[in-house]
Amino acid sequence: MKRSLTDHSPEPVSRSVIGTRASLLMLAAAGVYTIYSIYLAAAEGAWQLTAHAAVMTAYCGVSAAGAWLSRRGRPDTAVRLVTAALLITILVITLLIADIGLAMAAIGVTLTSALALLVLEPGNLGRYFIVSLVIGYLAVFLDIFAPLDYRFKIPALEVAAPLIAGALALVYAGFIARQFGDLSLRVKLVTAFIGLAAVTIALVAVVSNRIVSDELTHQVSSQLDELAAARAIEIGDLVEREINVLQTLALNRLIQDEVERSGGQNVLGIDGIEALDGLWRAADEAGDDAEPLVAGVLDNPVSAELRKFRTRFPEHVEVFVTNRIGLNVAATNRTSDYYQADEEWWLGAFNSGIGGVYVGQPALDESAGVLSIIIAVPIPANDRSEIVGILRTTLSISVLQELVSAAAIGETGKVDLVFENASVAGRVISPDSPEGPESLPAESLDALARSPGESGEAVYKGAPSLVSVSAVTVRDPARNRFFELLGWTVVAHQDLDEALQPVAATTRTTVLVSMVVLGLSSLVGYWVATLVTGPITELTRVAEAVRGGDLRATARVTTRDEIGALAASFNSMTGRLRDLIGSLEQRIAERTKALQTTTEISRRLSTILEERQLVLEVVEQIRSAFDYYHAHIYLFDESGEYLVMVGGTGEPGRTMLEEGHRLPRGSGLVGRAAELNAPVLVPDVRSDEDWLPNPLLPETRAELSVPIALGERVLGVIDIQEDEPEGLGEQDAELIQAIAGQVAIGLQNARSYGSTQREARREATINAISQEIQRTTTIENALQVAVRELGRVLGARKTSVELHSPVAEDEAGEQV
């Protein structure tokens, strides 16, 4: 049943029914969640989840009690009981379960406000909203600042709780929107202000937190990328440095000569080599360094040189050289066999006599008995490019372990060296494995399938981590291909919680600040709503008084904001209304007078039959009747190319008449009116490009030009000027246009009358001359009368008549 929120006397039965339904609905929702919490407690066995399930079970019982109380006609008690239990449950759950405080706060505020709005009197809504808001703030603060040691994390709940809170908020917002028209103005303002503030703050917080979090994540990832890349280059440089050291040693003249001599003198066949190799192996098994073959390799000048090298570079635990057919020539200590040409490292370094560098994968060296990497380089002859032997070293893996262990970020950030070559795929040197390479779990290998320099989240060594991968390389691009074939990768990794700790701290700060801002916004919204509704209520009272006919009622202007401006405008409106009603008759009288004046001008113009008198009468009547600054009239000359001023008011008008003032067709405002055959009104002449200033009229600020026309035929223009901007308007244009029509008719009448008069005078003169001629008796007298009268009429100083007699001819055709 829909209930008006402004109805202060709802039916008890209706409120009981609504309270019962609401309590049962909350009981159903709480029951579903309680079943889920019991399942979690049984599956995980954590005491926090057990306590969580117990609290939810208790709340189900309270919701059932609330439904029973509502059914018994006590909805107010039921709502108080259910909302109090709800808020307490939210606090307890926040103390038991981590990272759901904000969602719990939203659920508490939404459900508490909804129950109060549905069941209780409207006046109670504010108190319940404030209490729920305080509990919500407390839940958020507990979630942020309470220790995590005894709280349990439920990943599924971290996702579901915000979704449930959002859905409830949308439902609640829809309900408020439906009932919004029934709320008081203060409640509307507070609700709208808080809702808008909440949405705005949430959007700003989410966007800003996202931007800052992305930036912090990028910074953390960049640090990890830089660490992985730097350590990868350091490892590559270390290996390259060791190769360079060996190549330098291979250029030792003593070593070159001895190896070349040994290889050149060797004429043993396969059987002889195998026999010597078997003899060596037997001595090795017996640990006999005194056996002549072994002693010859260990005790010679080259071996002494190699031992000096090992002393300077102790990471090389075993160094020896072979000749070009793979037999030992010198060594720092006894090797496991004598013949080396069948070994992978020897074949790689000899490279069919071309020579190459061989770097092996980490392994246990049989003769040295240490985890190591084999490095072998060719020994060239000292005077030519021929390969005469191979120099091989066993590089202890400890140098790589030192580099790996030296790199760290925070407490959990470490660097691993992973070998991806087929022979040692998935093996890793790590600070966590000082004994040697260990195998990576399968899910950790998936973390390596990312582009170098692109760190990201992955499960590495069984823990969620931020991982960055960088291939071991060197600064010399020519050797990068060599290291790509090695398949060594540096993996920098850090526990995800520690890596993203700045992001989490930023998120907590953003949430905390947003909550504080929202709280302050709510208080400000309530204060502003109170401040706004007071003057509006007062203004409503005054409006009602004015509607009742009291035009002297005024609103108090207590502020200078928009409401104060509204009150002032309202007072101004009532004042103007009073003035309008009071001066309406006066305005009607003024309008009537103007119309009468126009009629009088038109009547008087109709009696004037002389054009000049008509023009002068028009300009004087217009100026005196309407008190314009200046008025004058232009008429087209006989050529129609110029508008000649034929009448003007005051001294400027007389001066322009004496000077024969005229304007070319189409010039200025007057010319424009004549061309358009339409009035041209310019309220401010200084803003019009076509306006032509007149030095005789320096005070002109507004101008009106109205054509004097008979249909499409324009006879001239009436020009009116005022000395104030906006001094002329549409009303003036209408009045002058009416006068211009009368002037056009008057001009036509005057010109017709003048033409008639001239014709009459001409006929009278002709008649008079005819009568005089008729009274004469001789031709000479008639001619004299005609000449005299024509001269008088035409104003000639001298007139004469010449007579010519016809010439007579005889019958022969000649003149007589």
Side-chain angles (χ1 to χ4, degrees):
M1 176 179 179
K2 182 178 179 181
R3 170 177 170 268
S4 173
L5 300 180
T6 55
D7 184 7
H8 295 279
S9 57
E11 293 293 333
V13 175
S14 299
R15 291 198 297 120
S16 296
V17 171
I18 294 173
T20 302
R21 291 176 179 175
S23 298
L24 290 175
L25 183 62
M26 295 188 67
L27 175 60
V32 174
Y33 183 69
T34 300
I35 294 172
Y36 174 69
S37 63
I38 293 174
Y39 165 76
L40 285 177
E44 299 291 340
W47 68 268
Q48 296 95 333
L49 296 179
T50 302
H52 176 226
V55 169
M56 288 307 305
T57 303
Y59 180 73
C60 288
V62 174
S63 297
W68 182 80
L69 288 172
S70 293
R71 193 173 182 83
R72 290 286 181 176
R74 299 169 63 185
D76 294 352
T77 303
V79 169
R80 293 188 183 97
L81 179 63
V82 172
T83 54
L86 174 64
L87 297 177
I88 293 173
T89 301
I90 286 173
L91 288 178
V92 174
I93 291 177
T94 304
L95 287 173
L96 294 173
I97 309 300
D99 298 332
I100 61 170
L102 184 61
M104 290 292 103
I107 292 173
V109 173
T110 302
L111 291 180
T112 300
S113 301
L115 279 174
L117 191 62
L118 285 168
V119 181
L120 301 180
E121 296 288 343
N124 295 321
L125 177 61
R127 292 197 299 270
Y128 275 78
F129 179 78
I130 292 174
V131 171
S132 64
L133 196 62
V134 171
I135 298 300
Y137 272 93
L138 185 57
V140 173
F141 291 149
L142 287 175
D143 191 40
I144 293 176
F145 296 108
L148 291 173
D149 298 340
Y150 64 88
R151 292 196 291 164
F152 194 84
K153 277 193 173 187
I154 306 176
L157 193 58
E158 292 178 18
V159 176
L163 295 177
I164 295 172
L168 288 175
L170 289 176
V171 172
Y172 180 62
F175 178 75
I176 289 292
R178 288 183 58 192
Q179 303 290 341
F180 199 74
D182 297 332
L183 300 174
S184 66
L185 179 60
R186 178 178 296 180
V187 174
K188 287 179 181 178
L189 289 175
V190 172
T191 303
F193 193 92
I194 294 177
L196 181 60
V199 172
T200 304
I201 292 171
L203 288 176
V204 171
V206 169
V207 173
S208 61
N209 182 70
R210 181 67 178 180
I211 294 174
V212 174
S213 298
D214 288 347
E215 180 62 26
L216 291 175
T217 303
H218 177 70
Q219 291 178 5
V220 173
S221 300
S222 297
Q223 291 178 358
L224 212 60
D225 293 339
E226 290 173 2
L227 176 63
R231 196 56 63 182
I233 290 177
E234 288 180 8
I235 293 174
D237 288 346
L238 182 145
V239 175
E240 186 178 32
R241 185 169 59 252
E242 299 297 342
I243 293 172
N244 292 336
V245 168
L246 282 181
Q247 289 177 331
T248 302
L249 180 61
L251 297 177
N252 185 290
R253 182 65 176 273
L254 174 63
I255 297 176
Q256 289 176 324
D257 291 343
E258 182 62 25
V259 170
E260 185 176 5
R261 184 192 61 79
S262 172
Q265 296 176 356
N266 197 316
V267 293
L268 297 174
I270 296 298
D271 294 339
I273 292 174
E274 291 180 353
L276 291 176
D277 189 58
L279 182 63
W280 183 284
R281 290 177 181 273
D284 180 59
E285 291 177 1
D288 184 10
D289 289 341
E291 205 285 326
L293 181 61
V294 176
V297 172
L298 297 180
D299 297 326
N300 59 56
V302 175
S303 298
E305 193 69 23
L306 296 179
R307 280 190 285 273
K308 290 179 183 179
F309 172 80
R310 193 178 63 178
T311 301
R312 290 180 57 193
F313 302 98
E315 66 272 18
H316 295 267
V317 295
E318 181 184 63
V319 184
F320 64 95
V321 296
T322 72
N323 56 24
R324 68 186 317 276
I325 63 173
L327 300 179
N328 286 348
V329 176
T332 56
N333 49 287
R334 186 182 64 252
T335 60
S336 59
D337 50 6
Y338 180 64
Y339 179 64
Q340 310 292 342
D342 57 350
E343 299 289 344
E344 180 185 358
W345 59 265
W346 196 95
L347 294 172
F350 189 71
N351 193 20
S352 302
I354 299 175
V357 176
Y358 174 87
V359 178
Q361 300 294 339
L364 178 65
D365 187 84
E366 297 179 0
S367 58
V370 295
L371 289 169
S372 58
I373 297 172
I374 296 175
I375 302 177
V377 298
I379 302 173
N382 61 11
D383 55 356
R384 58 192 186 279
S385 60
E386 181 184 356
I387 303 301
V388 297
I390 302 298
L391 172 62
R392 183 212 127 148
T393 184
T394 302
L395 182 67
S396 175
I397 205 171
S398 61
V399 294
L400 297 178
Q401 290 175 321
E402 290 174 2
L403 279 179
V404 167
S405 300
I409 296 180
E411 296 181 1
T412 61
K414 299 175 182 178
V415 169
D416 293 347
L417 176 59
V418 180
F419 306 102
E420 299 185 62
N421 189 278
S423 60
V424 286
R427 303 285 287 175
V428 59
I429 296 177
S430 167
D432 300 325
S433 57
E435 296 82 9
E438 62 178 358
S439 297
L440 281 176
E443 66 271 11
S444 298
L445 293 175
D446 296 336
L448 306 181
R450 63 176 66 252
S451 300
E454 294 183 2
S455 56
E457 299 178 15
V459 177
Y460 188 75
K461 292 186 177 180
S465 305
L466 190 64
V467 177
S468 178
V469 178
S470 183
V472 174
T473 183
V474 291
R475 294 179 176 85
D476 183 5
R479 285 194 171 176
N480 276 338
R481 177 59 181 167
F482 172 77
F483 282 91
E484 289 176 4
L485 295 175
L486 278 178
W488 292 5
T489 301
V490 170
V491 178
H493 60 95
Q494 188 176 17
D495 185 78
L496 192 60
D497 289 338
E498 183 186 16
L500 300 182
Q501 188 173 6
V503 178
T506 300
T507 302
R508 288 195 298 270
T509 302
T510 301
V511 171
L512 185 60
V513 171
S514 299
M515 295 294 291
V516 172
V517 172
L518 181 59
L520 294 176
S521 300
S522 301
L523 295 176
V524 171
Y526 182 81
W527 176 73
V528 169
T530 303
L531 191 66
V532 169
T533 54
I536 291 179
T537 302
E538 173 66 14
L539 189 60
T540 303
R541 182 191 64 78
V542 175
E544 290 291 336
V546 172
R547 188 180 69 171
D550 184 9
L551 296 179
R552 297 189 177 276
T554 58
R556 290 179 298 174
V557 181
T558 58
T559 61
R560 295 183 180 180
D561 57 9
E562 287 79 359
I563 297 178
L566 177 62
S569 299
F570 186 83
N571 291 338
S572 175
M573 180 185 68
T574 55
R576 290 187 178 184
L577 186 60
R578 289 195 301 269
D579 294 341
L580 177 63
I581 295 175
S583 62
L584 184 59
E585 292 182 358
Q586 181 180 354
R587 293 181 181 179
I588 293 175
E590 292 176 353
R591 178 66 175 173
T592 302
K593 179 182 177 181
L595 294 175
Q596 289 175 348
T597 302
T598 305
T599 304
E600 178 64 19
I601 291 175
S602 300
R603 186 189 65 77
R604 295 185 63 179
L605 292 180
S606 65
T607 64
I608 299 174
L609 298 177
E610 202 279 317
E611 182 174 313
R612 180 171 178 77
Q613 182 185 357
L614 182 144
V615 169
L616 294 176
E617 184 71 20
V618 167
V619 294
E620 291 299 332
Q621 286 292 331
I622 289 176
R623 186 182 183 284
S624 61
F626 302 110
D627 195 25
Y628 291 130
Y629 170 58
H630 184 74
H632 51 204
I633 292 179
Y634 292 85
L635 295 178
F636 276 112
D637 61 3
E638 293 182 358
S639 67
E641 295 298 324
Y642 290 94
L643 285 163
V644 181
M645 199 198 88
V646 294
T649 59
E651 186 63 28
R654 285 190 293 272
T655 302
M656 285 188 284
L657 281 174
E658 292 173 359
E659 294 176 352
H661 180 67
R662 64 179 185 172
L663 296 172
R665 187 183 189 96
S667 176
L669 304 183
V670 174
R672 191 199 303 176
E675 287 292 322
L676 298 176
N677 193 11
V680 175
L681 173 62
V682 180
D684 187 354
V685 294
R686 295 183 177 180
S687 63
D688 193 286
E689 297 179 353
D690 293 338
W691 179 67
L692 300 176
N694 192 327
L696 297 175
L697 300 170
E699 304 298 325
T700 299
R701 294 294 180 270
E703 188 168 351
L704 169 65
S705 296
V706 178
I708 303 171
L710 292 171
E712 298 297 325
R713 180 188 173 199
V714 178
L715 305 177
V717 175
I718 298 178
D719 190 65
I720 308 297
Q721 299 182 20
E722 269 289 22
D723 55 0
E724 293 182 1
E726 307 296 333
L728 296 171
E730 294 296 335
Q731 184 177 358
D732 299 282
E734 293 174 1
L735 292 173
I736 301 303
Q737 197 169 11
I739 294 173
Q742 295 298 323
V743 171
I745 296 172
L747 285 173
Q748 185 182 37
N749 293 338
R751 290 175 178 178
S752 297
Y753 176 76
S755 177
T756 302
Q757 288 292 97
R758 287 191 298 273
E759 184 67 25
R761 286 195 298 269
R762 186 169 58 252
E763 292 295 333
T765 299
I766 293 172
N767 291 333
I769 293 173
S770 298
Q771 291 175 3
E772 287 290 337
I773 291 173
Q774 289 175 2
R775 284 196 292 267
T776 60
T777 57
T778 65
I779 294 175
E780 289 81 1
N781 290 337
L783 291 174
Q784 288 177 355
V785 169
V787 169
R788 184 180 65 248
E789 292 299 326
L790 286 174
R792 183 175 59 81
V793 171
L794 297 176
R797 290 185 297 173
K798 180 180 179 181
T799 56
S800 62
V801 176
E802 294 183 4
L803 297 176
H804 298 277
S805 59
V807 178
E809 296 179 356
D810 57 14
E811 295 180 356
E814 295 190 9
Q815 294 181 355
V816 181

